[in-house]
Amino acid sequence: MSGTPDDRSAWHSISANGLDGLLQGSGDGALVDELIGAEHSRRLLLLRALYDRSVGLSSGSDDSPLSLSDAWELLERVQAKAPEVVEDVLMAPGTGTWLSCSLRILRKTLDSEIPLWATLGHLASLASASAAAARIEFTSTVPVNQGTVSLPGLGYAVLPTDEDWTTARVTGDQRRLRITGSGGEVVVGPDRARRAPGWQPTRRVTLGRGTAARSVTLEEHDPYRGFSGASAPRALSESEARAWRSSLAEAWDILQRDEPTFVDALRRGLMSITPLPRGERFRPYSSSSAEAFGGLNISLSDEGAELAATLVHEFQHVKLGALTHLAPLVRQPETEEQPDLFRAPWRDDPRPLEGMLHGIYAFLGVTRFWRVHRRAAEGARAPLAHFEFALWRDAVWSALDAVRRHERLTPLGRRLLDSLAQSCAGWLSDDVPAVELRLAREAAASHRARWREHHLRPSPEVVDEAVRAWRRRDDCPPSLHTAPVAVAPDGEAHFLDTAAVLARHRLAAPDGSWRDPAGAGEGVRGADRVDILLAREDRADARRELADRLLYGDPPVGSWAALGRALADSPEQQPACRFLLRSPEWARAVRGTLRAEYGERPDPVVLATWLAGAGRPPGTPG
């Protein structure tokens, strides 16, 4: 495909005004148009690079049933007649994922069980979809995966076959589309948006009204909709499709009222939503990819505001991903040493610097949304909105504090974080109702302490020094409070947000029904009896349960952090409470060594008080 100096292939840039808006965490539709232009330029370059590298591998070779040259020529024919159609196919999120995966496979940095001819042959599927949309006469050979023939943006056909991978012939003209395989044929009439035997058209949903309406694909069949490689279609039932339309319409109306500038950006840049199965309440799942601009993978939320926040979250990732294609925010490490890892208050696992920037950018947008929405929320939804604002405001500020001056940030990366910090700092003094503020801070403290207990490993030498001091009945060594800890990622760390999820259940049910474990706790993954007791503020019962675990059992990781929360209402045990919420990894390490090497089972509160420097071991004279 050819281009001229005036077309979008020359737009791999962004204006100064657009960059300013992007760095502030916002940006309107004009900014998104600039990002789309830059992404279009990048896609053309990637497509040409892929074709140049792969045409000799597959076109005309003995083991390839497809001709990439023929597919390329078909795309050129469509571009000559209907360039807007080729642009739509090229800019589809799945096309970006396919390009990325294919190039990585060719460079041998990604393994795939899919035959190479089928991966590269997806170009023929894109060309056929373009030709069919432009209604030109054509014949093409495309890959078939377990009987499914996907024509991205148009629909998919199902043919009878026993083979995992085979091919089908697609022919089209102004009226009909025929998809023919070895076991049968599917014929699609002039209205290709209408279902036919063996044919499922691409499903779309209209968001907004009038001239401001936006048509978005509910992506069920593009093989590369999942960001990580080809996958089979997952068709929505009619009831699921209705639920999605209703929920998206509600979320869109909320955003239109509370974040009109963001809706302007979303209207320009949101291209597709891949519906995921509904997950646990208050734990929606979502993802996006820098390689798939405009595509979001989202599970259906229980509330419109929650879905609105998810749309904000993921589209923030989309925007920042586009910026990273224009200029780096982080320098690569100068040595081969393990790069620094950090606690992200929204994740279970330690995150690299690049991941921290993405999370900060996304959750700053989420915080801004809840800050406005909490003023409009009504009834039981208002406390939840106040809680979300307080939780994510402090989370973003904490994460900014951890990485804002990191040496690997580029000048643009520093400028980004400084701008975001300025926005977030202006929100720190915003009033939040007392109950919601307390619950948000307790949830944040729980995540921080549990994360530390899972992922931080104290200095073995200082742990041994502390164990010797304990057994001598000496004071806790001062070095324990200044000694380094190392990040050692624990793959078993899951559901560190349990306190926050239970707080949401509590705020969403002011009638007290949330206190029934069958109504809330048993439906919260990762929540055990102690978590339920703490959510109910039955701290005395939680202390007794934890004392049994830590004295006599094999306590799960996180028990010391939970004990810190359980001691919060005991004035005489505040030193132990503060220590365990700040440094539970030391209590876990010292207790583990005492038990493993000496068979000791110290009283957990006494040990925590001693580690805090505010008490003496049992049996100390005087």
Side-chain angles (χ1 to χ4, degrees), residues 344-498:
W346 39 81
R347 295 278 300 220
D348 292 337
D349 55 332
R351 300 295 289 159
L353 182 60
E354 296 86 345
M356 291 294 290
L357 264 63
H358 258 283
I360 289 169
Y361 196 81
F363 278 97
L364 183 118
V366 170
T367 305
R368 184 182 59 230
F369 165 75
W370 288 115
R371 180 174 184 256
V372 177
H373 178 70
R374 68 197 184 114
R375 304 303 183 190
E378 298 177 349
R381 296 176 179 179
L384 270 174
H386 287 301
F387 170 83
E388 300 291 357
F389 167 67
L391 181 69
W392 299 124
R393 172 189 64 181
D394 292 352
V396 170
W397 189 251
S398 170
L400 280 165
D401 185 60
V403 302
R404 188 176 166 190
R405 301 302 176 197
H406 198 279
E407 60 185 10
R408 285 180 53 218
L409 291 170
T410 65
L412 182 61
R414 289 196 184 91
R415 185 180 165 192
L416 171 70
L417 293 187
D418 286 346
S419 178
L420 300 183
Q422 185 176 4
S423 296
C424 190
W427 304 337
L428 297 178
S429 59
D430 285 6
D431 290 335
V432 177
V435 171
E436 289 88 329
L437 181 61
R438 177 176 60 81
L439 290 175
R441 288 180 172 170
E442 186 169 347
S446 173
H447 184 282
R448 181 171 55 250
R450 293 182 67 189
W451 187 95
R452 292 182 67 94
E453 193 171 339
H454 272 282
H455 299 298
L456 297 188
R457 299 293 177 267
S459 162
E461 294 77 15
V462 179
V463 170
D464 289 341
E465 182 184 356
V467 167
R468 291 194 299 271
W470 169 271
R471 302 196 77 242
R472 291 195 306 265
R473 304 300 186 255
D474 289 344
D475 291 338
C476 180
S479 59
L480 182 140
H481 299 282
T482 59
V485 291
V487 178
D490 177 7
E492 299 302 314
H494 301 297
F495 309 121
L496 303 189
D497 65 340
T498 296

Side-chain angles (χ1 to χ4, degrees), residues 225-309:
R225 67 194 183 281
F227 308 144
S228 59
S231 58
R234 179 187 175 272
L236 296 174
S237 67
E238 289 305 315
S239 61
E240 287 177 315
R242 286 193 298 270
W244 270 101
R245 288 192 176 95
S246 174
S247 295
L248 284 168
E250 181 184 3
W252 195 267
D253 287 345
I254 290 171
L255 287 171
Q256 183 66 68
R257 180 193 65 202
D258 297 343
E259 288 268 37
T261 300
F262 184 85
V263 168
D264 185 36
L266 203 61
R267 184 183 297 113
R268 308 284 187 93
L270 179 60
M271 301 176 188
S272 70
I273 293 174
T274 296
L276 302 176
R278 187 189 293 269
E280 179 187 334
R281 190 181 185 196
F282 298 123
R283 276 182 175 144
Y285 178 79
S286 64
S287 64
S288 53
S289 169
E291 302 300 335
F293 186 96
L296 312 181
N297 286 10
I298 299 177
S299 65
L300 195 60
S301 300
D302 293 281
E303 297 285 345
E306 186 177 62
L307 181 55

